[in-house]
Amino acid sequence: MTFPKPTSQLTRRTVLAGLGSVPLAAGIAGAAPRQEAPTGPGDGGGRDTLLRGADLVLTMDPGIGDGELGTLEHADVLMRGGRLAAVGHGLTAPAGARVIDARGKLVLPGFVDLHNHLWQSSIRGGCSDQDLNGWLAACNRATLPKIDAADMYRFVRLAALDALQAGVTTVVDWVHGIPYDTSEQYIRALDGTGLRFVYAMTQSADAIDLIPRVKKELLDPLPLASAQVSVHAGMEAVPELRRFREVAHDLGVLLNSHVLEHRDDRADDPIRSLREAGAFGPGLLMNHAIHLTDDEIALTADHDVRVAHCPLSNMRLASGIMPLPAMHRRGIKAGLGHDGGTNDTSDMFNVMKAAVGLQRALHEDAEIHPTLPAVLRMATLGGAECIGMADRIGSLTPGKRADVLVLDPGTLNFAPRFDWISQIVLNGQPPNVSYVFVDGRPRKAHGQLVGVDTEEVVREAERAAAHVRAAA
């Protein structure tokens, strides 16, 4: 599809008042494999790819491999037509396939970033002496109205590529109320990176009709895009919440809300508001959910509501620590998120480490949830489960979409081998991500983003930042 050039500015009127709110497949017969050719911008996912001889494959599928993470040693992964075709030993490459020597490497599913605000790359490092409320006032709300459609494209492209190069293959982006032309550029930036993305959009009550329009006209034509409806929960907003819930129901998508991120949010009674609006159930994803009472945790479990844990953001904004072990004991589905500008970079390894470390420090218990295997699951299959996409992504199960990472542990920060599963969480960094495949297409290869001029991306983001600083 084509996108018109951006023309209009984002106005304060359109800004949301605040954040708140398969068995193993057999080897496939074919001609002798061809060794890997250089990967360029035109090298698409129509080409089959065999990852050969990885030292360790984590399938996240206990039915394929050993243990809860489905581990296989010295194994192959075959991608065909955008899907995972086979995982096992001694697979034969189809004729013409790209063959990548994965000896010495680790292979796992792509990370699922369950909560982000990509436009907030515009305020990285900003308001660093503020808690959530101060940051919202001085950075978030003060900046968003100054970003026009052209600059929105630049900021989103920067952040999306940062996430992609760090191993995120699916991102749920909570998007504030913005005009249609800005949505066009936002979605254009996301789609252009090759990320799989969920565009979780809100609007002011008088512009709610834009939500189905954006889904139909901008998202539905894109194979890697899907939608959610975002809301601000609170008792004063119950009538609006009902309208947004009805829109989400009609569109067949999840509702997505910030809930009890700060202690002050208790005054809005968001859990009660979501229940009264008929939104409290498996069709709801709650972000942060830090200050839940025991009764609210029980309700969340009983109604199969899903949660996104954003530990780095919660630390940065002095928001508190999610009661993740209590949620886990109740069987609540949970994944991990970056949460935009207050994460300040895209590093799921760091998010995982923080999620583990916070609970160990709080409970003084090295065996408390999440364990290292558990947090790896949260970053992959757990996130996919939370957004109803576990039938498509999150594990290396044949038949699912081929969202795959190849990690290189032979680096100064990672070597020597001791316990690779633990090392992924405790030692891993984005530079260890050698290859990223989304829907079978190589988006990062040999440690570099494919077909991306990163210097140009940064220049354009700096240009956009200068525009914002100069805006009245």
Side-chain angles (χ1 to χ4, degrees), residues 147-201:
I147 303 177
D148 65 18
D151 287 340
M152 184 65 80
Y153 173 87
R154 297 179 177 110
F155 288 134
V156 173
R157 180 172 61 154
L158 175 79
L161 288 170
D162 182 31
L164 184 65
Q165 64 88 23
V168 172
T169 54
T170 299
V171 61
V172 181
D173 202 355
W174 202 105
V175 184
H176 297 72
I178 55 178
Y180 185 87
D181 68 325
T182 307
S183 293
E184 286 182 304
Q185 296 305 315
Y186 205 119
I187 292 167
R188 176 181 168 229
L190 276 165
D191 185 56
T193 65
L195 268 172
R196 190 182 306 280
F197 65 95
V198 182
Y199 193 76
M201 52 187 157

Coordinates of all heavy atoms in Angstrom, one line a residue, residues 147-201:
I147 N 5.1 16.5 18.0 CA 5.6 15.6 17.0 C 4.7 15.5 15.9 O 3.5 15.1 16.0 CB 5.9 14.2 17.6 CG1 6.8 14.2 18.8 CG2 6.4 13.2 16.5 CD1 7.1 12.9 19.5
D148 N 5.1 16.0 14.7 CA 4.2 15.9 13.5 C 4.4 14.5 12.9 O 5.2 13.7 13.3 CB 4.5 17.0 12.5 CG 5.9 17.0 11.9 OD1 6.6 15.9 11.9 OD2 6.3 18.0 11.4
A149 N 3.7 14.3 11.8 CA 3.6 12.9 11.2 C 5.0 12.5 10.6 O 5.4 11.4 10.8 CB 2.6 12.9 10.1
A150 N 5.7 13.5 10.0 CA 7.0 13.1 9.4 C 8.0 12.8 10.5 O 8.8 11.8 10.4 CB 7.6 14.3 8.6
D151 N 8.0 13.5 11.6 CA 9.0 13.2 12.7 C 8.5 11.9 13.5 O 9.4 11.2 14.0 CB 9.1 14.4 13.6 CG 9.9 15.5 13.0 OD1 10.6 15.3 12.0 OD2 9.7 16.7 13.5
M152 N 7.2 11.7 13.5 CA 6.8 10.5 14.2 C 7.4 9.3 13.4 O 7.9 8.3 14.1 CB 5.3 10.4 14.2 CG 4.7 9.2 14.9 SD 5.1 9.2 16.7 CE 3.8 10.3 17.2
Y153 N 7.4 9.3 12.1 CA 8.0 8.2 11.3 C 9.5 8.0 11.7 O 9.9 6.9 11.9 CB 7.9 8.6 9.8 CG 8.7 7.6 8.9 CD1 8.1 6.5 8.5 CD2 10.0 7.9 8.5 CE1 8.8 5.6 7.7 CE2 10.7 7.0 7.7 CZ 10.1 5.9 7.3 OH 10.8 5.0 6.5
R154 N 10.2 9.1 11.9 CA 11.6 9.0 12.2 C 11.9 8.4 13.6 O 12.8 7.6 13.7 CB 12.2 10.4 12.1 CG 12.2 11.0 10.7 CD 12.8 12.4 10.6 NE 12.8 12.9 9.3 CZ 12.0 13.9 8.8 NH1 11.2 14.5 9.7 NH2 12.0 14.4 7.6
F155 N 11.1 8.9 14.6 CA 11.3 8.3 15.9 C 10.9 6.9 16.0 O 11.6 6.1 16.6 CB 10.5 9.1 16.9 CG 11.0 10.5 17.2 CD1 10.1 11.6 17.2 CD2 12.3 10.7 17.4 CE1 10.6 12.9 17.5 CE2 12.8 12.0 17.7 CZ 11.9 13.1 17.7
V156 N 9.8 6.5 15.4 CA 9.3 5.1 15.4 C 10.3 4.2 14.7 O 10.6 3.1 15.1 CB 7.9 5.0 14.9 CG1 7.5 3.6 14.8 CG2 6.9 5.8 15.8
R157 N 10.8 4.6 13.5 CA 11.7 3.8 12.8 C 13.0 3.5 13.6 O 13.5 2.4 13.7 CB 12.1 4.5 11.5 CG 13.1 3.7 10.6 CD 13.3 4.2 9.2 NE 13.8 5.6 9.3 CZ 14.6 6.1 8.3 NH1 14.8 5.4 7.2 NH2 15.0 7.3 8.4
L158 N 13.5 4.5 14.3 CA 14.7 4.4 15.1 C 14.4 3.3 16.2 O 15.2 2.4 16.3 CB 15.0 5.7 15.7 CG 16.2 5.7 16.8 CD1 17.5 5.7 16.0 CD2 16.1 6.9 17.7
A159 N 13.3 3.5 16.9 CA 13.1 2.6 18.0 C 12.7 1.2 17.6 O 13.2 0.2 18.2 CB 11.9 3.1 18.9
A160 N 12.0 1.1 16.5 CA 11.6 -0.3 16.0 C 12.9 -1.0 15.5 O 13.0 -2.2 15.7 CB 10.6 -0.1 14.8
L161 N 13.8 -0.3 14.8 CA 15.0 -1.0 14.4 C 15.9 -1.4 15.5 O 16.6 -2.4 15.5 CB 15.8 -0.1 13.4 CG 15.1 0.0 12.0 CD1 15.8 1.1 11.2 CD2 15.2 -1.3 11.2
D162 N 15.9 -0.5 16.6 CA 16.7 -0.8 17.8 C 16.1 -2.1 18.4 O 16.9 -3.0 18.8 CB 16.6 0.3 18.7 CG 17.4 0.1 20.0 OD1 18.4 -0.6 20.0 OD2 16.9 0.6 21.1
A163 N 14.8 -2.2 18.5 CA 14.2 -3.4 19.0 C 14.5 -4.7 18.2 O 14.9 -5.7 18.7 CB 12.7 -3.3 19.2
L164 N 14.4 -4.5 16.9 CA 14.7 -5.6 16.0 C 16.1 -6.1 16.1 O 16.4 -7.3 16.2 CB 14.4 -5.2 14.5 CG 14.5 -6.2 13.4 CD1 13.4 -7.3 13.6 CD2 14.3 -5.6 12.1
Q165 N 17.1 -5.2 16.1 CA 18.5 -5.6 16.1 C 18.8 -6.3 17.4 O 19.8 -7.0 17.5 CB 19.4 -4.4 15.8 CG 19.4 -3.3 16.9 CD 20.3 -3.5 18.0 OE1 21.3 -4.2 17.9 NE2 20.0 -2.9 19.2
A166 N 18.0 -6.0 18.5 CA 18.3 -6.6 19.8 C 17.5 -8.0 19.9 O 17.6 -8.6 21.0 CB 17.8 -5.7 20.9
G167 N 16.8 -8.4 18.9 CA 16.2 -9.7 18.9 C 14.7 -9.7 19.2 O 14.1 -10.8 19.3
V168 N 14.1 -8.6 19.2 CA 12.6 -8.5 19.3 C 12.0 -8.8 17.9 O 12.4 -8.1 17.0 CB 12.1 -7.2 19.9 CG1 10.6 -7.0 19.8 CG2 12.6 -7.0 21.3
T169 N 11.2 -9.7 17.8 CA 10.5 -10.0 16.5 C 9.1 -9.6 16.5 O 8.5 -9.5 15.5 CB 10.7 -11.5 16.1 OG1 10.2 -12.3 17.2 CG2 12.2 -11.8 15.8
T170 N 8.5 -9.5 17.7 CA 7.1 -9.0 17.8 C 7.0 -8.0 18.9 O 7.5 -8.1 20.0 CB 6.1 -10.2 18.2 OG1 6.2 -11.2 17.2 CG2 4.7 -9.7 18.4
V171 N 6.4 -6.8 18.6 CA 6.2 -5.8 19.5 C 4.8 -5.4 19.6 O 4.1 -5.3 18.6 CB 7.1 -4.5 19.2 CG1 6.7 -3.9 17.8 CG2 7.0 -3.5 20.3
V172 N 4.3 -5.2 20.9 CA 3.0 -4.6 21.1 C 3.2 -3.1 21.4 O 3.7 -2.8 22.5 CB 2.2 -5.3 22.2 CG1 0.8 -4.7 22.4 CG2 2.1 -6.8 22.0
D173 N 2.7 -2.3 20.5 CA 3.0 -0.8 20.7 C 1.7 -0.1 21.1 O 0.7 -0.1 20.4 CB 3.5 -0.3 19.4 CG 4.3 1.0 19.6 OD1 4.3 1.5 20.7 OD2 4.8 1.5 18.6
W174 N 1.7 0.4 22.3 CA 0.5 1.1 22.9 C 0.6 2.5 22.4 O 1.5 3.3 22.8 CB 0.6 1.1 24.4 CG -0.7 1.3 25.2 CD1 -1.4 0.4 25.8 CD2 -1.3 2.6 25.4 NE1 -2.5 1.0 26.4 CE2 -2.4 2.3 26.2 CE3 -1.0 3.9 25.1 CZ2 -3.3 3.3 26.7 CZ3 -1.9 4.9 25.5 CH2 -3.0 4.6 26.3
V175 N -0.3 2.9 21.5 CA -0.2 4.2 20.7 C -1.2 5.1 21.2 O -2.4 4.8 21.3 CB -0.3 3.9 19.2 CG1 -0.1 5.3 18.5 CG2 0.7 2.9 18.7
H176 N -0.8 6.3 21.6 CA -1.7 7.3 22.1 C -2.6 7.8 21.0 O -2.4 7.5 19.8 CB -0.9 8.5 22.7 CG -0.1 8.1 23.8 ND1 1.1 7.4 23.7 CD2 -0.2 8.4 25.2 CE1 1.6 7.2 25.0 NE2 0.8 7.8 25.8
G177 N -3.6 8.6 21.4 CA -4.5 9.2 20.4 C -3.8 10.2 19.4 O -3.4 11.3 19.8
I178 N -3.6 9.8 18.2 CA -3.0 10.6 17.2 C -3.8 10.7 15.9 O -4.7 9.8 15.7 CB -1.6 10.1 16.9 CG1 -1.6 8.6 16.4 CG2 -0.6 10.2 18.0 CD1 -0.3 8.0 16.0
P179 N -3.7 11.7 15.1 CA -4.5 11.9 13.9 C -4.2 10.7 12.9 O -3.2 10.0 13.0 CB -4.0 13.2 13.3 CG -3.3 13.9 14.4 CD -2.7 12.9 15.3
Y180 N -5.1 10.6 12.0 CA -5.0 9.5 11.0 C -3.7 9.6 10.2 O -3.1 8.6 10.0 CB -6.2 9.6 10.0 CG -6.3 8.5 9.0 CD1 -6.9 7.3 9.4 CD2 -5.7 8.6 7.7 CE1 -7.0 6.2 8.4 CE2 -5.8 7.5 6.8 CZ -6.4 6.4 7.2 OH -6.5 5.3 6.3
D181 N -3.3 10.8 9.7 CA -2.1 10.9 8.9 C -0.9 10.6 9.7 O 0.1 10.0 9.2 CB -2.0 12.3 8.3 CG -1.7 13.4 9.3 OD1 -2.2 13.3 10.4 OD2 -1.0 14.3 8.9
T182 N -0.9 10.8 11.0 CA 0.2 10.4 11.9 C 0.3 8.9 12.1 O 1.3 8.3 12.1 CB 0.2 11.1 13.2 OG1 0.1 12.6 13.0 CG2 1.4 10.9 14.1
S183 N -0.9 8.3 12.2 CA -1.0 6.9 12.3 C -0.5 6.2 11.0 O 0.2 5.2 11.1 CB -2.5 6.4 12.4 OG -3.0 6.8 13.7
E184 N -0.7 6.8 9.9 CA -0.2 6.3 8.6 C 1.3 6.2 8.7 O 1.9 5.2 8.3 CB -0.6 7.2 7.4 CG -2.0 7.1 7.0 CD -2.3 8.0 5.8 OE1 -2.1 9.2 5.9 OE2 -2.8 7.4 4.8
Q185 N 2.0 7.3 9.1 CA 3.4 7.3 9.2 C 4.0 6.4 10.3 O 5.0 5.8 10.1 CB 3.9 8.7 9.4 CG 3.5 9.6 8.2 CD 4.1 9.1 6.9 OE1 5.2 8.7 6.8 NE2 3.2 9.1 5.8
Y186 N 3.3 6.3 11.4 CA 3.7 5.4 12.5 C 3.7 4.0 11.9 O 4.6 3.2 12.1 CB 2.6 5.6 13.6 CG 3.1 5.2 15.0 CD1 3.1 6.2 16.0 CD2 3.5 3.9 15.3 CE1 3.6 5.9 17.3 CE2 4.0 3.6 16.6 CZ 4.0 4.6 17.6 OH 4.4 4.3 18.8
I187 N 2.6 3.6 11.3 CA 2.5 2.2 10.8 C 3.4 2.0 9.6 O 4.0 0.9 9.5 CB 1.0 2.0 10.4 CG1 0.1 1.9 11.6 CG2 0.9 0.6 9.6 CD1 -1.4 2.0 11.4
R188 N 3.6 3.0 8.8 CA 4.6 2.8 7.7 C 6.0 2.6 8.3 O 6.8 1.7 7.8 CB 4.6 4.1 6.9 CG 5.7 4.1 5.8 CD 5.7 5.5 5.0 NE 6.8 5.6 4.2 CZ 7.6 6.6 4.1 NH1 7.4 7.7 4.8 NH2 8.7 6.6 3.3
A189 N 6.4 3.3 9.4 CA 7.7 3.0 10.0 C 7.8 1.6 10.5 O 8.8 1.0 10.3 CB 7.9 4.1 11.1
L190 N 6.8 1.2 11.2 CA 6.8 -0.2 11.8 C 6.9 -1.2 10.7 O 7.7 -2.1 10.8 CB 5.5 -0.4 12.6 CG 5.6 0.1 14.1 CD1 4.1 0.2 14.6 CD2 6.4 -0.8 14.9
D191 N 6.0 -1.1 9.7 CA 6.0 -2.1 8.6 C 7.3 -2.1 7.8 O 7.8 -3.2 7.4 CB 4.8 -1.8 7.7 CG 4.7 -2.9 6.6 OD1 4.5 -4.1 7.0 OD2 4.7 -2.5 5.4
G192 N 7.9 -1.0 7.7 CA 9.2 -0.9 6.9 C 10.3 -1.6 7.5 O 11.3 -2.0 6.8
T193 N 10.3 -1.8 8.8 CA 11.4 -2.5 9.5 C 11.3 -4.0 9.4 O 12.3 -4.7 9.6 CB 11.4 -2.2 11.0 OG1 10.2 -2.7 11.6 CG2 11.5 -0.7 11.2
G194 N 10.1 -4.5 9.1 CA 10.0 -6.0 9.0 C 9.6 -6.6 10.3 O 9.5 -7.9 10.4
L195 N 9.4 -5.8 11.3 CA 8.9 -6.4 12.6 C 7.5 -6.9 12.5 O 6.7 -6.4 11.7 CB 8.9 -5.3 13.7 CG 10.1 -5.1 14.6 CD1 9.9 -3.8 15.4 CD2 10.3 -6.3 15.5
R196 N 7.2 -7.9 13.3 CA 5.8 -8.3 13.5 C 5.3 -7.4 14.6 O 5.9 -7.2 15.6 CB 5.7 -9.8 13.9 CG 4.2 -10.3 14.0 CD 4.2 -11.8 14.4 NE 5.1 -12.6 13.7 CZ 4.8 -13.1 12.5 NH1 3.7 -12.9 11.9 NH2 5.7 -13.9 11.8
F197 N 4.1 -6.7 14.4 CA 3.7 -5.7 15.4 C 2.2 -5.7 15.6 O 1.4 -6.1 14.8 CB 4.2 -4.3 15.0 CG 3.5 -3.8 13.7 CD1 2.4 -2.9 13.8 CD2 4.1 -4.0 12.5 CE1 1.9 -2.4 12.7 CE2 3.5 -3.5 11.3 CZ 2.4 -2.7 11.4
V198 N 1.9 -5.4 16.9 CA 0.5 -5.2 17.3 C 0.3 -3.7 17.6 O 1.0 -3.2 18.4 CB 0.2 -6.0 18.5 CG1 -1.3 -5.8 18.9 CG2 0.5 -7.5 18.3
Y199 N -0.5 -3.1 16.8 CA -0.8 -1.6 16.9 C -1.9 -1.5 17.9 O -3.1 -1.6 17.5 CB -1.1 -1.1 15.5 CG -1.0 0.4 15.4 CD1 0.2 1.1 15.4 CD2 -2.2 1.2 15.3 CE1 0.2 2.5 15.3 CE2 -2.2 2.6 15.2 CZ -1.0 3.2 15.2 OH -1.0 4.6 15.0
A200 N -1.6 -1.1 19.1 CA -2.6 -1.0 20.2 C -3.0 0.4 20.3 O -2.3 1.2 20.9 CB -2.1 -1.6 21.5
M201 N -4.1 0.8 19.7 CA -4.5 2.2 19.5 C -5.6 2.7 20.4 O -6.6 2.0 20.6 CB -4.8 2.5 18.0 CG -5.8 1.5 17.5 SD -6.1 1.7 15.7 CE -6.7 0.1 15.3

